[in-house]
Amino acid sequence: METRVGTAADDREFEGYLAHTRHAFGKVPYDHATLRAHGVSAVAVRGTQVLGGGLFLPFDQHFGGRPVPSGGVAWLAVAPWERGAGLARRLTEEGTDRLRAEHGAVLACAWTPAPGLYRRWGWEAAAVASSYVLHPAELPAPRSRFETVRPDEAACARLRNVLGPGWNGTVRRPGWWHGWKQRTTPGALTLGVLRRGGEGADGADGELAGYATVTVEPHRPWGVAAVVHDLWHAELDALPALLAAIGARSPQVREIRFRRSVLPRPSPLPWVLDRYAVREDGWYPWMLQLLDVPAALQARGWEPRTRGAVRLEVVRPEGRAEPYALTFEEGRMQARRGSIPSARTVRLPSSTLAAWYAGGLPLRHAARLGTAAGDVRDLDLLDALVAGPAPWLPESF
């Protein structure tokens, strides 16, 4: 019997998909009604039996300082007895094709502990995430020119919008995102630090230098742990003030935990702590795929001082090679299918292209690994294009 992959025909099919997320993750997607309403869902069905599904969320991501239409693959689950038959790939392609058709996405990203699986589909790791734990006793004294405030979301969004373009991968959060996070993080408190002399505690008239969203969890044998879910700071000197505000949330705070990817990697902690007694736990990477190679290359920002032309050959997972003529100057790139007469060729798997695009894998290094081929002058030229922002995806979905 044929297996259909597409939109859930009714709530029963969607509930069948949710049953598989319980088996795969031990829970269902947080506030899945909101994700279903604002994103794209796909299910695999054979007869009346649901065999798996996934959620696909449209948003923009910053790359090279510019917002690029993208989307996130989330909660992909396939029935254990159907794994290995290609359903996960079919579901992912269905969801990303619809992100591209319905929302204009030219990229897709995903958190996954199985990078090899996605790599076979043309994705690649952009960066590995870490979580961090430190003890309040290790915190340096905050500087007196900051005061703790409770900023509103508008002030936090302004700060994120200023800082986000400085990284590759940060999400420009859609309008529904904040309410969704509030519902899925009960008991969360957002604390900010304001530079003294500012007029508005909400950051609207004064200058909000940073904020953190925190919950508390029991800590054995006693006390609580302050768990940081979101943290942004404009300058390094604002971070000690934020850490002090987090540690002061309760006199029973025994440790401060930064959830995966809340801090970029490497984290700023070595530059603010007087004593570095921090535990770092590596997490799995976030992966990236270019859904539309020329559109993605043209949407991204590039190092404005680099100019030139390169013939790029992108090799798809099935072995098919696609040639592109790239010309770039003043931070913009033109990409068209075809060749540049007399130009040398850089040849990359589509997976390597994605990692380089995010700033996570220089082509000179990829060549040493055997995943890029070309004249060293062209590899250096393309690497110079991505100089600047480092990869960081602080969102969980």
Side-chain angles (χ1 to χ4, degrees):
M1 185 179 295
E2 183 180 357
T3 300
R4 171 179 61 86
V5 174
T7 306
D10 50 34
D11 289 343
R12 184 198 65 80
E13 289 189 352
F14 190 76
E15 287 292 334
Y17 152 62
L18 293 180
H20 290 300
T21 66
R22 292 187 185 93
H23 297 149
F25 307 109
K27 53 191 173 185
V28 298
Y30 312 114
D31 190 10
H32 50 77
T34 296
L35 299 182
R36 186 184 182 189
H38 292 280
V40 169
S41 62
V43 295
V45 182
R46 183 183 302 136
T48 61
Q49 186 179 28
V50 179
L51 304 176
L55 291 165
F56 306 84
L57 311 175
F59 44 64
D60 289 348
Q61 287 181 272
H62 294 105
F63 287 94
R66 294 195 176 100
V68 179
S70 182
V73 179
W75 299 92
L76 188 67
V78 173
W81 57 90
E82 291 290 335
R83 291 174 189 167
L87 273 186
R89 180 171 186 171
R90 288 183 61 189
L91 285 163
T92 301
E93 291 177 347
E94 168 71 16
T96 54
D97 284 350
R98 289 177 56 197
L99 284 175
R100 182 177 173 184
E102 299 172 21
H103 300 278
V106 298
L107 308 170
C109 65
W111 288 104
T112 178
L117 179 67
Y118 281 76
R119 189 173 296 120
R120 291 195 291 273
W121 306 341
W123 299 59
E124 190 49 275
V128 173
S130 281
S131 59
Y132 300 86
V133 178
L134 60 85
H135 296 277
E138 310 299 335
L139 299 181
R143 299 188 179 184
S144 59
R145 63 193 185 102
F146 294 100
E147 62 178 301
T148 303
V149 297
R150 289 195 63 185
D152 61 20
E153 170 55 18
C156 295
R158 284 194 295 271
L159 184 64
R160 285 196 309 272
N161 290 340
V162 170
L163 301 177
W167 301 87
N168 289 332
T170 52
V171 171
R172 190 165 67 174
R173 300 176 184 176
W176 55 267
W177 196 274
H178 178 63
W180 170 58
K181 283 295 184 181
Q182 280 186 314
R183 291 188 294 275
T184 58
T185 317
L189 174 66
T190 297
L191 299 170
V193 291
L194 195 70
R195 298 188 186 279
R196 291 194 183 276
E199 298 176 3
D202 65 354
D205 298 314
E207 184 181 359
L208 185 68
Y211 79 88
T213 299
V214 188
T215 60
V216 293
E217 294 179 356
H219 180 274
R220 294 180 179 178
W222 64 273
V224 297
V227 182
V228 183
H229 298 259
D230 198 19
L231 186 143
W232 295 80
H233 56 94
E235 297 174 1
L236 190 62
D237 63 351
L239 185 52
L242 268 178
L243 294 175
I246 293 167
R249 172 168 178 171
S250 167
Q252 295 197 45
V253 172
R254 302 285 291 163
E255 64 181 25
I256 298 174
R257 302 174 187 165
F258 299 88
R259 295 186 75 248
R260 71 170 193 196
S261 205
V262 166
L263 296 177
R265 198 169 182 265
S267 85
L269 294 176
W271 290 276
V272 298
L273 298 178
D274 295 332
R275 293 179 54 224
Y276 194 80
V278 176
R279 185 176 79 242
E280 178 182 355
D281 292 320
W283 205 265
Y284 45 74
W286 61 277
M287 309 286 288
L288 190 71
Q289 184 188 43
L290 275 59
L291 304 177
D292 184 327
V293 170
L297 292 173
Q298 292 180 161
R300 191 195 194 281
W302 305 96
E303 165 55 48
R305 293 167 293 184
T306 302
R307 59 184 302 172
V310 171
R311 181 181 186 271
L312 178 67
E313 198 168 81
V314 179
V315 182
R316 294 293 180 183
E318 62 274 13
R320 174 172 48 90
E322 299 174 345
Y324 297 96
L326 310 183
T327 56
F328 38 89
E329 62 179 337
E330 298 182 349
R332 289 291 189 183
M333 180 180 289
Q334 295 297 318
R336 61 175 177 81
R337 293 182 184 273
S339 301
I340 300 175
S342 73
R344 297 180 299 266
T345 298
V346 172
R347 185 178 174 91
L348 308 173
S350 55
S351 53
T352 300
L353 177 65
W356 168 79
Y357 184 98
L361 179 61
L363 294 184
R364 282 290 294 267
H365 187 45
R368 288 194 293 270
L369 297 175
T371 61
D375 189 283
V376 67
R377 291 168 292 179
D378 295 323
L379 300 180
D380 285 344
L381 183 63
L382 290 173
D383 282 344
L385 272 177
V386 296
W392 179 36
L393 178 60
E395 309 293 354
S396 296
F397 48 82

